[in-house]
Amino acid sequence: QLQASGGGLVQAGDSLRLSCAASRRIFSNNGMGWFRQAPGKEREFVAGISWNGGYTDYADSTKGRFAISRDNAKGTVALQMNSLKPEDTAIYYCAAARSAVAATTARGYNYWGQGTLVTVSS
């Protein structure tokens, strides 16, 4: 129901754009979010967007470098990642929130994509 894509291997300072396609049933009226999980670490919030795109939220570590957006007509949510750092290396997951707003914790989401790997070399 959620399909993430766009991951890959890049160098520090490069940009990458992740995309997530969602079924209409879980996308239309729900907030959406991106999380990531690095090896040996817990899954952490990256960015979130409300159902109509009117509100966005970011982790402190990604604020100013990442931008989340959504296209409700296409049923997609994107994460534009700029000025990537080696510490951004992780598997990135898109998720659909339980409500119209974008929660900042994993428990606020009930649908998850399979993840896409982002590797940033120094």
Side-chain angles (χ1 to χ4, degrees):
Q1 303 184 73
L2 289 170
Q3 185 73 31
S5 62
L9 172 63
V10 297
Q11 293 187 332
D14 285 351
S15 297
L16 203 60
R17 185 176 180 87
L18 305 182
S19 183
C20 177
S23 62
R24 182 173 297 275
R25 181 176 68 85
I26 62 173
F27 182 88
S28 298
N29 299 308
N30 294 76
M32 297 293 293
W34 286 95
F35 286 73
R36 67 186 181 187
Q37 187 166 19
K41 295 188 177 180
E42 294 186 354
R43 190 170 299 190
E44 64 175 357
F45 173 76
V46 173
I49 188 166
S50 61
W51 74 279
N52 63 352
Y55 178 79
T56 57
D57 198 5
Y58 298 91
D60 288 342
S61 60
T62 63
K63 199 171 299 183
R65 299 188 298 123
F66 291 11
I68 188 171
S69 61
R70 66 188 294 161
D71 186 332
N72 283 359
K74 296 182 179 179
T76 59
V77 59
L79 183 69
Q80 177 66 41
M81 305 185 294
N82 300 323
S83 302
L84 283 162
K85 305 175 182 180
E87 51 263 43
D88 293 318
T89 295
I91 298 174
Y92 284 71
Y93 299 89
C94 65
R98 298 179 185 274
S99 69
V101 298
T104 59
T105 61
R107 68 181 64 182
Y109 296 78
N110 54 349
Y111 292 100
W112 294 84
Q114 86 289 356
T116 185
L117 177 63
V118 173
T119 303
V120 184
S121 64
S122 58

